[in-house]
Amino acid sequence: MIKVMKFGGTSMGSIDALDRTSSIIAREQAKKAVVVSAMSGVTNYLIACIRDRPETPSVLDYLRDKYSSAAQGMLSEERFERCSQQLDASLSILRGRLEARWSVESDPVLEDAIFCWGERLSTIMLTNILEEKGIPAVALSAEDAGIVAEGSPANGSADLAATHANLSRTVLPLLDKGITPIITGYYGSDRTGRLITFGRGGSDYSGSVIAYGIDADCYEVWTDVDGFMTADPRIVPEARTVDEMDYGEAAELAYFGAKVLHPRTVEPVRKKSIPLMVKNTFNPDGHGTLVRNQKCNTPEIVRSVASKGDLSIIKIYSSEIVYNPALISRLIASVSEVAVNTYAISTSLSTLAVALPTPAIPRVLENLKALHENQIEKMTVKDNVSLICCVGDNMINTFGVAAKVFSTVSATGANVEMISEGASDVALNFMVPSEKAADVVRNIHKTFIGG
Ligand code: ADP
Ligand code: ASP
Ligand code: MG
């Protein structure tokens, strides 16, 4: 039995959390690879540093202080001394990267190589804590493990085949020797050695990539809630944990806003039918959520609802759309050349509407104008919209569900800006003004899930 166990920011974020995390790892009998995030707040801090440009020594002092004070509470004096030296050695490499970054106007590649520093410090700290408990462990960076990334900064994805080949050489032999590798989450290294992060929350995806890469029997995501819930508990306090989900349901929810899993987490484990568990570090004996390749056949129609903000809808008007079918695909190709992700598409006689992340809008408009000036009559942009994603494997086949969902939305006083139904077997997605999104989620939860 081989497991991958991923611990998020809160599970690394305090002496109490580290005590719980290390006990969970210690009591696990299976061979295991552990993946860690930065301590909570650290990635936000590093991202803010690029904007605010504080003096380099103050950045290093902040990080040294944060990690040392957590480690000190967990380690003997001698081991603390060793851990501090390792943290200092790592921080002196970071100093070089910060100075390189300050010497240029902007450089997203250098920035990614800085944003992942919290994960490096976490591996050093947790490895020492485990060794103190008598568990043989070794800190391993993503590049030393051989997680191969491709794509653009802050939006990388893993090359699964290349990573699989590398991890067979780097990680499996350690497991065979009874050593637990503690691996940095959040990023990989491309073929030229550039470090590329997988986007915010990317350690969930790293763990899934590693589970794929070592053919694990199970991938556990350890976080600060009891599992995948019927809604974000910060929006719906009555939200309950869902015991089981199909890969398709979890993938839709994660992609369309459920922050508990990075949008792409399900992809790698699903390819090899590796079960994924979401568990609570602060309630390790709780049931958690099991995500696997199996329809759940529960009576509920909507099993979970998520929302995603910071989106805009571009509407492209052209009378050619109806008689020039190739135009739609060319317009969509021009949109995706610059937009990171497209969240919904819908067409009518003479318009194409596309929901996109708001920060991508200026570049998309520019590209569309440059490439299709003669065919486009006008374009409009509606900002401040959110996508609502309702998921349930019975939903699409049950009569009258859409009517009930939209009458709930209308009772909330929200206008539906765009609908996408039928494309997915398990999800019904639509867009509403962002100021109504939380109320819509709460009302849908109340109507379909209760509480
Ligand atoms: P970690 O640091 O462990 O990766 P995150 O903060 O990234 O944790 O994700 C866990 C948080 O996701 C929860 O505390 C919860 O507020 C939020 N969340 C959003 N939607 C859901 C959901 N459907 N189920 C569970 N948690 C959710
Ligand atoms: N530390 C990174 C972030 O905050 C990655 C992660 O936590 O998964 O986005
Ligand atoms: Mg997370």
Side-chain angles (χ1 to χ4, degrees), residues 316-349:
I316 306 162
Y317 294 76
S318 169
S319 54
E320 285 186 43
I321 282 181
V322 67
Y323 61 82
N324 181 357
L327 180 60
I328 293 191
S329 62
R330 287 205 302 272
L331 290 171
I332 292 173
S334 309
V335 168
S336 41
E337 260 169 38
V338 271
V340 184
N341 293 313
T342 301
Y343 287 95
I345 297 177
S346 122
T347 57
S348 76
L349 183 67

Side-chain angles (χ1 to χ4, degrees), residues 6 8-9 37-39 43-44 47 115 119 185-186 199-204:
K6 176 261 167 180
S37 293
M39 292 179 83
T43 312
N44 286 348
I47 291 172
F115 295 157
E119 274 68 15
Y186 190 28
R200 294 309 306 274
S203 304
D204 300 325

Side-chain angles (χ1 to χ4, degrees), residues 6 8-10 222-225 227-229 231-234 258-260:
K6 176 261 167 180
T10 15
W222 289 86
T223 184
D224 58 0
V225 283
F228 218 122
M229 303 178 78
D232 184 341
R234 289 166 302 186
K259 199 195 151 209
V260 62

